Amino acid sequence: MKFDLDQDQRDFAASIDAALGAADVPGAVRAWSAGDAEPGRAVWSRLTELGVTALAVPEEFDGIGAHPVDVVLAIEALGRWCVPGPVVESIAVAPILLAGAPDAADRLAGLAAGELIATVALPPHTPRAVDADRAGLVLHAEAGRAATAQVGTRHASVDPSRGVFDVAAGDDAWDADTVRAYEMGALATAAQLIGAGQAMLDIAVDYAKQRTQFGRVIGGYQAIKHKLADVHIALELARPLVYGAALSYADGSPDTARDVSAAKVAASDAALLAAHSALQTHGAIGFTSECDLSLWLLRVQALRPAWGDPTAHRRRVLEVI
């Protein structure tokens, strides 16, 4: 099977890059971590203007009803820019869970319009909800049922911009496709990891072209070149798995679970390799809070176990081989 993004999709990704490139996203992430959500909400407003928040919402609820590939494409871009907030949960997962809710029309329209940000807990692999204190809608879903949830204790995350919360399901439960919701959550997280990995590679390449050591830019050393080339290869091998899984998901293929898990494993490994290589290229300064690279380093550490850790997804792949 041959697959490639068409020109409209490439233009859409470029428009997201242009909009986020004009925003101070690293500053918004730092503010989000410090308790100030306003800069982050301004970033989300830019996404709403581009239609990103409406992608997975059906057209009858003022959404776009986009193909899963388009959703994955957008979330990869958001990972590349380290956008704060429950990106996967609000944009990709919540629309699936809300489809059968009694008040689905209002809530889905709110998601599409950017007036509502949602977050989700879906045990057992996603037992806590990200940024539940910043979301206007918190959902708990399990075993074919979903409900609005009450927020409990906040737990620290390796990424200070991603608080995670215990939540308890309310009494207003409805039938929901929790299987599809979980697969989309894992798939979208894989896309976010690919975007983050690409950002770290780009940052490391730029730094390697500027930093000098012993009178020579470090990018001229073979050891640095080979290390960054390995990251590029890993990302280029993982990205088709993510888009292939999006096609399987869209077609309702019986191989969807296998394909999603393979994509999540490959994206997790590629992003981790990118993190290690970018940090080694920068040296210790790369992990200081003043260096923007640190934002992606922490984000990747938080995203790798999100929506199923690599061990769980490797197990799913092995079960069908």
Side-chain angles (χ1 to χ4, degrees):
M1 177 181 67
K2 182 178 180 180
F3 169 78
D4 195 11
L5 299 175
D6 62 32
Q7 191 58 48
D8 287 341
Q9 291 169 321
R10 294 180 186 279
D11 290 344
F12 179 49
S15 69
I16 297 175
D17 284 333
L20 295 180
D24 180 15
V25 181
V29 175
R30 291 186 172 95
W32 194 275
S33 301
D36 180 7
E38 289 309 309
R41 292 187 184 280
V43 172
W44 276 71
S45 294
R46 289 176 180 258
L47 301 179
T48 298
E49 293 169 1
L50 293 169
V52 174
T53 56
L55 283 173
V57 176
E59 293 183 60
E60 58 264 35
F61 301 114
D62 299 325
I64 296 175
H67 192 280
V69 167
D70 297 320
V71 177
V72 164
L73 176 71
I75 291 181
E76 180 184 343
L78 271 52
R80 192 159 54 246
W81 289 96
C82 206
V83 171
V87 167
V88 166
E89 293 77 10
S90 189
I91 295 172
V93 179
I96 299 170
L97 295 177
L98 287 171
D103 53 356
D106 290 342
R107 287 176 170 173
L108 287 169
L111 287 175
E115 299 167 355
L116 183 64
I117 294 177
T119 190
V120 175
L122 207 166
H125 295 301
T126 308
R128 293 171 177 158
V130 174
D131 293 323
D133 57 337
R134 309 285 173 78
L137 175 64
V138 181
L139 299 174
H140 181 282
E142 189 173 11
R145 300 281 285 173
T148 56
Q150 297 177 343
V151 180
T153 304
R154 185 185 194 277
H155 298 271
S157 168
V158 65
D159 179 358
S161 71
R162 282 174 58 90
V164 290
F165 292 78
D166 292 331
V167 298
D171 297 328
D172 59 337
W174 60 87
D175 291 336
D177 193 342
T178 53
V179 173
R180 293 279 286 177
Y182 175 72
E183 301 300 351
M184 177 50 76
L187 174 59
T189 302
Q192 201 175 3
L193 281 162
I194 291 293
Q198 185 65 55
M200 290 186 291
L201 175 60
D202 294 342
I203 291 169
V205 169
D206 289 342
Y207 187 77
K209 291 178 180 178
Q210 298 171 13
R211 182 186 172 191
T212 60
Q213 193 171 42
F214 305 115
R216 181 180 177 186
V217 293
I218 64 172
Y221 293 105
Q222 288 293 327
I224 298 293
K225 289 181 179 179
H226 290 169
K227 187 182 299 294
L228 298 179
D230 287 344
V231 175
H232 174 73
I233 291 169
L235 289 169
E236 288 302 302
L237 290 175
R239 187 177 281 110
L241 291 178
V242 173
Y243 285 96
L247 291 173
S248 290
Y249 180 92
D251 295 340
S253 167
D255 296 327
T256 295
R258 179 204 63 187
D259 294 344
V260 167
S261 286
K264 181 64 161 56
V265 169
S268 296
D269 289 351
L272 184 62
L273 179 63
H276 286 167
S277 299
L279 183 56
Q280 289 168 354
T281 302
H282 279 71
I285 193 175
F287 206 71
T288 62
S289 59
E290 293 80 10
C291 182
D292 287 350
L293 174 64
S294 66
L295 304 178
W296 280 271
L297 294 175
L298 295 173
R299 182 63 55 83
V300 164
Q301 290 299 333
L303 289 176
R304 289 184 74 247
W307 293 92
D309 63 28
T311 299
H313 283 291
R314 282 190 171 90
R315 185 177 297 115
R316 284 215 306 175
V317 172
L318 290 172
E319 286 172 353
V320 296
I321 291 179

